[in-house]
Amino acid sequence: TTNCGLNWINLNYGLMGQVNGMSFINNNTGFILTSPVKKTTNGGASWTNIYTYRGYPQCIYFYNENIGYIGEHDYNLGWGVTRTTNGGLNWDFQTFPEVTNYIYDFYFVNSTTGFFTTTGRIFKTTNSGNNWYEVYEYTDSFGYWSELWSIQFLNETVGYATASQGKVLKTTDAGNTWKI
């Protein structure tokens, strides 16, 4: 759409199948999470294959044209984050033994500080995804981990995350602590 959603144009991304996510950084440049991951630089008129993942991806996020992340399950290595720092030419995978389910969403407040959500946890990086650490664990009233679906920030200190059972989490200290 180019008119705030009043009209929509169907774009052919070049492959029949499921699209698990997308991330656009401006009107022309965007990425879709399909098999393989594709990139457009002309608003979706054409797409280029940039990455064939190793397992099952769940979400994609690009901070800018060069820096991007995919939450992925590598069938041999486990759950983790696949990252590019050169627009999709090269990718590296970092496994997280403590992550036991899908990575559902990413959000970066700047080029170095970002977050991802997964089952029962929020993780944070302050060095562009070289290292991640847990900042929040969410359990339901029975003590079981609940899904943390999406995460967004208004600025570098105030952010929100959605959780199962209709809960919304909020941080006011750059994601270091969270409250329902």
Side-chain angles (χ1 to χ4, degrees):
T1 184
T2 58
N3 58 6
C4 298
L6 293 175
N7 302 97
W8 290 83
I9 300 166
N10 186 22
L11 298 175
N12 181 359
Y13 58 89
L15 182 65
M16 297 302 290
Q18 182 173 324
V19 177
N20 282 2
M22 69 176 150
S23 181
F24 271 77
I25 58 169
N26 58 43
N27 288 342
N28 291 314
T29 304
F31 305 83
I32 57 173
L33 187 55
T34 185
S35 181
V37 175
K38 296 178 182 290
K39 177 181 181 178
T40 184
T41 57
N42 56 15
S46 62
W47 297 88
T48 303
N49 297 342
I50 63 166
Y51 174 64
T52 301
Y53 41 83
R54 298 184 269 269
Y56 185 79
Q58 183 64 25
C59 65
I60 187 169
Y61 179 86
F62 268 78
Y63 177 75
N64 60 32
E65 193 167 336
N66 291 314
I67 301 171
Y69 304 86
I70 296 173
E72 180 176 1
H73 179 256
D74 180 302
Y75 295 130
N76 295 317
L77 301 174
W79 300 98
V81 174
T82 301
R83 176 183 65 169
T84 183
T85 57
N86 58 10
L89 295 175
N90 302 98
W91 296 82
D92 61 71
F93 180 77
Q94 180 182 11
T95 188
F96 291 94
E98 61 272 75
V99 173
T100 59
N101 206 340
Y102 300 111
I103 294 173
Y104 292 112
D105 199 16
F106 289 98
Y107 194 87
F108 275 72
V109 297
N110 58 46
S111 64
T112 59
T113 303
F115 302 85
F116 72 76
T117 59
T118 185
T119 300
R121 298 178 177 145
I122 297 174
F123 285 81
K124 180 178 182 178
T125 182
T126 55
N127 59 7
S128 303
N130 291 321
N131 303 98
W132 296 85
Y133 57 95
E134 183 181 315
V135 292
Y136 185 74
E137 184 173 303
Y138 176 66
T139 56
D140 64 17
S141 58
F142 299 106
Y144 297 107
W145 281 339
S146 294
E147 305 301 334
L148 293 166
W149 299 109
S150 62
I151 190 165
Q152 295 281 312
F153 275 75
L154 298 175
N155 53 45
E156 291 196 13
T157 57
V158 178
Y160 297 89
T162 61
S164 56
Q165 302 166 342
K167 305 293 186 200
V168 176
L169 307 173
K170 182 178 182 180
T171 182
T172 57
D173 64 356
N176 294 313
T177 59
W178 295 81
K179 294 182 181 178
I180 295 175

